[in-house]
Amino acid sequence: AQRVTQPEKLLSVFKGAPVELKCNYSYSGSPELFWYVQYSRQRLQLLLRHISRESIKGFTADLNKGETSFHLKKPFAQEEDSAMYYCALNAGGYNKLIFGAGTRLAVHP
Amino acid sequence: KAGVTQTPRYLIKTRGQQVTLSCSPISGHRSVSWYQQTPGQGLQFLFEYFSETQRNKGNFPGRFSGRQFSNSRSEMNVSTLELGDSALYLCASSYSSGGSEAFFGQGTRLTVV
């Protein structure tokens, strides 16, 4: 079965602290993984994808096929990072995304 | 360029009625996907269209249907509405046929009373 698990509903940190949002997936083939973010009153938007291996707004995510994980990390959280973060799996090659339940990141001053 | 546009933004319908939601993708995008978002189930895939063909369908009853027109605009229809159909319906468009970034609309908030 294709599944994405985000174990934390809420992650609360102070500004400047490191952040790690966990994502585990279940898929037998070669996965394409994404992190989408939704800021307050804005639409859902792509943050980063595993194939690009780039850092966006200081966030990085590495695909670990052995642990079937795609955790999102940032060394120093900023207040503007407060948002809802969704890990998503594109399985099968079409534009069908399987989303995790989402993690709300709250960065306090 | 203009983003993905969904209309209407809000809808209130009575149980048993039917509803049609519309999605205009970004110009040049040929793939349109639909998702249902609820507090209990999160974001769930409904179906995806590419060049007027439905390529994927999620695990939803047949009351949920959709179509795509030659200009890539898409509609989804829900017949015989149930209270549990109350949700935010999101549309996303993508440029290529698979694996590309999905650009989301603001959604249509459907309330069934």
Side-chain angles (χ1 to χ4, degrees), chain A residues 32 34 36 38 41-46 49 51 86 90 93-97 99-100, chain B residues 4 31 33 35 37 43 45 48 55-56 94 96-102 104-106:
Chain A
E32 290 184 77
F34 304 81
Y36 279 82
Q38 188 166 29
R41 289 184 291 278
Q42 294 187 27
R43 58 187 70 191
L44 198 57
Q45 60 187 283
L46 178 69
R49 67 181 83 179
I51 58 171
Y86 294 94
N90 187 325
Y94 297 138
N95 292 313
K96 171 186 175 181
L97 292 172
F99 284 91
Chain B
V4 177
S31 170
S33 303
Y35 296 85
Q37 185 175 27
L43 279 155
F45 173 80
E48 187 249 358
R55 300 192 300 174
N56 260 302
S94 301
S96 71
S97 61
S100 58
E101 177 179 356
F104 284 84
Q106 294 275 44

Side-chain angles (χ1 to χ4, degrees), chain A residues 25-80:
Chain A
Y25 67 91
S26 174
Y27 179 58
S28 57
S30 185
E32 290 184 77
L33 285 149
F34 304 81
W35 277 99
Y36 279 82
V37 61
Q38 188 166 29
Y39 301 103
S40 179
R41 289 184 291 278
Q42 294 187 27
R43 58 187 70 191
L44 198 57
Q45 60 187 283
L46 178 69
L47 179 62
L48 49 79
R49 67 181 83 179
H50 89 272
I51 58 171
S52 60
R53 300 184 64 82
E54 57 190 344
S55 172
I56 304 290
K57 298 184 178 182
F59 285 98
T60 59
D62 290 318
L63 176 61
N64 185 323
K65 290 188 178 181
E67 296 183 358
T68 60
S69 68
F70 188 57
H71 303 327
L72 183 68
K73 299 177 184 178
K74 184 169 183 177
F76 308 104
Q78 303 298 315
E79 289 179 68
E80 55 266 30

Side-chain angles (χ1 to χ4, degrees), chain B:
Chain B
K1 54 186 174 183
V4 177
T5 304
Q6 292 187 245
T7 56
R9 291 291 310 279
Y10 303 91
L11 267 179
I12 299 176
K13 290 287 188 178
T14 303
R15 209 168 37 172
Q17 287 186 311
Q18 77 162 19
V19 67
T20 299
L21 312 182
S22 180
C23 172
S24 292
I26 291 172
S27 178
H29 287 194
R30 292 194 292 163
S31 170
V32 173
S33 303
W34 288 89
Y35 296 85
Q36 182 195 64
Q37 185 175 27
T38 59
Q41 300 297 318
L43 279 155
Q44 292 188 287
F45 173 80
L46 278 157
F47 27 66
E48 187 249 358
Y49 289 87
F50 183 81
S51 293
E52 301 178 69
T53 300
Q54 184 184 92
R55 300 192 300 174
N56 260 302
K57 191 176 195 308
N59 190 24
F60 280 83
R63 300 184 297 105
F64 291 80
S65 63
R67 58 178 176 169
Q68 187 180 34
F69 302 95
S70 58
N71 62 358
S72 293
R73 190 177 69 85
S74 177
E75 290 180 346
M76 67 163 280
N77 184 278
V78 188
S79 62
T80 320
L81 283 165
E82 299 178 359
L83 296 179
D85 297 333
S86 295
L88 180 67
Y89 290 89
L90 292 172
C91 160
S93 76
S94 301
Y95 176 74
S96 71
S97 61
S100 58
E101 177 179 356
F103 292 83
F104 284 84
Q106 294 275 44
T108 294
R109 171 75 62 186
L110 172 65
T111 302
V112 183
V113 297

